[in-house]
Amino acid sequence: MPVKLTQSQAAAIEFVRKAPEKESIITAHIEMGSSGWTSATLAPLNGMLPDALLRAVYEGYEEADE
């Protein structure tokens, strides 16, 4: 079952997917406890559990109706 994301979360996931430092971003997300992003690009990921982030990046996601 794919992870359901908002449009802003989906945009952030696409940024992570294309980033050359993808693994570093994922590691930082886990280490920060999923609540420390301050950049506008990654802030929509705040509150996302690490397992959901990993599934969205590597397995895919669906955009939820807003």
Side-chain angles (χ1 to χ4, degrees):
M1 184 167 160
V3 179
K4 292 206 182 227
L5 304 177
T6 65
Q7 186 176 10
S8 59
Q9 288 172 321
I13 290 295
E14 286 306 312
F15 175 84
V16 173
R17 283 180 155 182
K18 295 174 183 171
E21 69 278 8
K22 174 179 16 186
E23 288 77 17
S24 296
I25 294 171
I26 292 168
T27 300
H29 185 79
I30 292 167
E31 290 174 352
M32 286 189 298
S34 72
S35 62
W37 295 116
T38 56
S39 76
T41 305
L42 296 174
L45 300 179
N46 287 337
M48 184 179 288
L49 295 175
D51 70 317
L53 176 78
L54 289 167
R55 288 186 5 245
V57 170
Y58 291 108
E59 296 176 7
Y61 60 87
E62 286 181 5
E63 283 191 43
D65 296 329
E66 292 187 45

